[in-house]
Every structure is written in C-alpha cells, then in structure tokens.
Amino acid sequence: MTATADVATVLKEKFPQITGRESLDWPAFNVPGDQAPAVLQCLRDECAFDLLVDVTAVDWGVGQSPRFTVVWHLLSTTRHTYVRVAAACADDAKPSMPSVTGLWPGANWHERETYDMFGIVFTGHPDLRRILMWEGYPYFPLRKEFPLAGLDTSLPDPEVADETGARVKPAPYMGGPFVAAPGGPMDEAEPRAKDQSWTERQEKPS
Amino acid sequence: MVSPNTELAYDSKIEGDVIVSRLDAVINWIRTNSMWPMPMGLACCAIELMAVAAARFDIARFGAEVMRFSPRQSDCMIVAGTVTYKMAPQVRRLYDQMPAPKWVIAMGACASTGGMYRSYAVLQGVDRILPVDVYVSGCPPRPEALLDALIKLQAKVRREPAAKRLFRT
Ligand code: SF4
C-alpha cells in the first residue's frame, strides 16, 4: 500500500489538476489530456513504472461529453504494481490525444489500434495508419454507434471487387446475438439466438 | 476357380506399346492423382491442414502432398481458416494467379460460411469471392474430413469432360 500512496503523493505534488479515479484494483488517476505525456513520463522516470502495458480507449456513447477517454496501463517491473491513467479527449467529434511514442516506442502499435478502432488521432505519432482494418475503411468499429454486424462498404481492392461483385456486407444475424445458457447439459447450453423467428431471408419482424 | 488365362488386361505381346483409352479418362487420371494444393492457411484450420500433410494422415497417399506456396504451381486451393475482408482480395488474387484447371476446397466453418465470426471484419463464406468445389464442415474439421473432401473432389474431377475443355477455344 505504501507504493500506492507514494504514487498519489508524487503525482499530486507535481500536477495539482490530477484527481483520483474510481478503481477496483490498482491506483488510477484522471489527468487532463494535454498533461498526459508529462504525467506518464513522471510515472516512468520517478515512480519506476517502466513498462507500458496497454493503450486503449473508452467510448461513453453517442451524445456523451466527454465522449472518448484514453486509458494507459503501466507496470513497474521492479515493484510489480500497475497504475492506470485516464484522460478525456476534449473534442467529441474529432477526438485527439498527444502520442507517447516518444516515451515508449511500443506505444506505436497500441496507438494505431486505438486510432483504428475509435478514430482517436494521436498527435505526434510518427506513422498513424490503420492497423487492423484496411486503409480507406470508412468506419471506426468500436464506436458505440457501429453495429457488430458491420456496415455496407466496398472491398479494399477495387479490381477484385469489380471482378467478383462482392461487397463488405453486414453479417447475417439470424435472430442473434447468440448466447449460451449457463449450466445444464452441453447440448442445451449451446449458444443459440434468443429470437429465432427471423432469418436472412425472413426479415426481422418490427 | 483357376483360369488358364493369366493375361487379364493389357498384353504387351499382342498390343505392343499402345494403350487404348478415352482421353478424358487419361487426363482426369493424371489430374486427380497429382492435385497439388495451394495451402491458404489463414487461421486455426491450417493446423489441421498441417496434420493432414504429416505422417499420421499422410495426404501423399492421394497424390496431394506437394504443398505449393506459389499459386502458379498449384491446382487446388485449400482455404483453411477465417477469411477477413482485409485478406479477401489477396485470396482472390492468388486464386487468379493459379493456372487452370483449378479447384477450391473451403475447409472448416469459417471458410465455408464465416463460422462463428458474425462480425464486421469477416467475409461470410469464401464462396462470395471464389467458386468453391467442396465444403468441409467442422471447426476445425478432422484431418480425415479433409481427406474425404479431397477424395470427393477427385471424384468430381473424374466426371469432368476434360478433353472437350482442353480443345475449347
Ligand atoms: S472453422 Fe474453427 S478451427 Fe477453422 S479457422 Fe474457423 S474458428 Fe478456426
């Protein structure tokens, strides 16, 4: 616990705007977006959090403000503790956040993924391209308004799209999402759709 | 019953160096027994594909052990795994680079229908971009199932009017 208290005092002393963040496990802090790299550098250099485990984001939903929160997880390989730092993006429509690739080169791909999935632009990133979806994909799949089945768009390669006539189509849900019943024998616990009255051919009753 | 006639089929003394057969039969005999696969291993099914090629299941017994990683030397694309939309054009491009005649086996639930990935990122069945000849069910299919698919494909190829297609302009 002493280590936890240490981190809080060190940070509070240097960055008075920092507030505690509700957390069930490790110490967590809310940080103003523009100070995030400085706070992370302080954690790295003064509190021995030398490993950046994860960069991700939270979308709080359409119409929320602030809508996007970027979250960093740091690990101290010497003290074996984690710390979580979160910063809200100021702009809800065009979210952006300073990059920490200068502090940890490993942040590069994490930030590309977060950009790919949420559309958060990391300013100062050396090569901010999509990493999972293809270049030119028009949506950000982990945003709340994006349906799991996907949205209609064209294939990445126009030549192949022309030749095959195939498109990126919403996946058929056939009455899904599919849920497994807990307990019971295996054949009854199989994942199945809750509402099986509609299929790909038979439209969902409205 | 012991027959005095031991010459049951081809007799070189009578027929010399000539064998009479149908051209279709000869071509299809050659094609079915040297069907070199293009291993399109994209996900977990590829592990079973490797098992098929290994000693226990030994796809060499059916003449298809020559996994060619160059599409230009292969006859049968085995799509083993999840085809994402990002990968789909490359799969089609490799198929286009294979010389005809060519066949496609969709191995496993993912390649056949998208499988459990009902999501924005996965092509819902490789038959949306390729003409599939044989579908194999299973997640993943047992190696025997893939061998069965190969045998079924061979049976299908045996029925093809190969000679007619050969001289078609
Ligand atoms: S069918 Fe199953 S085993 Fe095969 S690629 Fe899909 S998830 Fe993997």
Side-chain angles (χ1 to χ4, degrees):
Chain A
M1 273 337 261
T2 47
T4 311
D6 277 359
V7 176
T9 38
V10 169
L11 283 184
K12 289 256 163 64
E13 215 168 90
K14 287 194 100 176
F15 306 95
Q17 285 122 305
I18 285 183
T19 53
R21 182 180 173 82
E22 207 178 320
S23 165
L24 287 176
D25 43 16
W26 302 102
F29 304 97
N30 283 319
V31 175
D34 51 344
Q35 288 185 9
V39 172
L40 292 166
Q41 181 158 24
C42 167
L43 284 169
R44 183 187 75 172
D45 296 343
E46 289 165 40
C47 305
F49 286 100
D50 47 351
L51 181 68
L52 177 71
V53 181
D54 189 24
V55 181
T56 185
V58 186
D59 177 359
W60 296 104
V62 185
Q64 299 287 316
S65 192
R67 182 169 168 189
F68 295 99
T69 303
V70 179
V71 182
W72 296 265
H73 287 103
L74 305 184
L75 169 70
S76 167
T77 53
T78 47
R79 285 153 59 172
H80 306 294
T81 55
Y82 288 88
V83 68
R84 182 179 303 122
V85 177
C89 297
D91 192 336
D92 295 336
K94 285 203 174 83
S96 71
M97 187 55 64
S99 166
V100 294
T101 42
L103 301 176
W104 290 275
N108 189 318
W109 283 17
H110 287 299
E111 290 180 356
R112 278 178 65 188
E113 186 185 354
T114 310
Y115 162 69
D116 191 357
M117 292 289 126
F118 293 92
I120 294 168
V121 174
F122 288 88
T123 48
H125 189 287
D127 181 26
L128 195 66
R129 283 177 296 136
R130 283 183 178 267
I131 193 168
L132 295 169
M133 305 308 282
W134 59 95
E135 212 53 52
Y137 186 69
Y139 308 106
F140 299 110
L142 286 191
R143 287 194 175 183
K144 290 291 182 205
E145 77 268 18
F146 187 88
L148 177 58
L151 292 169
D152 192 284
T153 175
S154 53
L155 278 187
D157 188 329
E159 208 181 315
V160 169
D162 275 354
E163 200 172 321
T164 60
R167 285 184 71 73
V168 177
K169 289 227 177 78
Y173 255 70
M174 311 288 276
F178 301 85
V179 270
M186 277 290 268
D187 61 329
E188 282 170 32
E190 283 272 292
R192 54 188 61 170
K194 274 191 171 156
D195 168 17
Q196 299 200 330
S197 63
W198 58 286
T199 66
E200 239 179 316
R201 291 199 188 81
Q202 199 177 326
E203 290 277 296
K204 183 178 185 178
S206 49
Chain B
M1 196 184 91
V2 181
S3 159
N5 182 11
T6 50
E7 309 287 343
L8 289 175
Y10 169 70
D11 182 347
S12 64
K13 287 196 211 79
I14 299 169
E15 295 170 49
D17 294 333
V18 179
I19 300 174
V20 180
S21 177
R22 282 164 52 242
L23 188 53
D24 274 356
V26 175
I27 293 175
N28 288 341
W29 174 65
I30 296 166
R31 283 186 183 164
T32 47
N33 292 301
S34 65
M35 202 173 272
W36 292 3
M38 159 92 224
M40 203 64 235
L42 298 172
C44 12
C45 271
I47 302 294
E48 297 299 297
L49 180 60
M50 292 171 216
V52 172
R56 190 182 181 99
F57 296 97
D58 196 11
I59 201 170
R61 291 178 293 155
F62 305 94
E65 78 281 19
V66 197
M67 299 277 172
R68 288 286 111 163
F69 290 88
S70 158
R72 300 183 202 284
Q73 299 170 354
S74 41
D75 306 304
C76 169
M77 178 182 262
I78 301 178
V79 185
T82 320
V83 187
T84 57
Y85 282 118
K86 195 176 181 180
M87 190 66 188
Q90 282 79 305
V91 174
R92 174 71 203 199
R93 199 153 290 258
L94 286 168
Y95 175 80
D96 286 341
Q97 287 172 352
M98 287 164 59
K102 50 191 170 182
W103 299 276
V104 178
I105 296 178
M107 178 186 180
C110 284
S112 303
T113 68
M116 60 178 166
Y117 299 105
R118 302 243 168 160
S119 96
Y120 59 91
V122 175
L123 184 70
Q124 301 293 304
V126 76
D127 51 5
R128 298 198 177 187
I129 53 163
L130 301 180
V132 176
D133 292 285
V134 182
Y135 299 84
V136 191
S137 66
C139 178
R142 294 270 322 159
E144 297 95 319
L146 186 64
L147 291 178
D148 186 41
L150 180 69
I151 293 166
K152 287 224 161 62
L153 180 60
Q154 288 175 338
K156 187 175 174 178
V157 171
R158 241 173 249 127
R159 293 195 303 271
E160 282 183 355
K164 203 159 83 191
R165 290 208 186 137
L166 208 59
F167 298 116
R168 192 176 53 187
T169 47

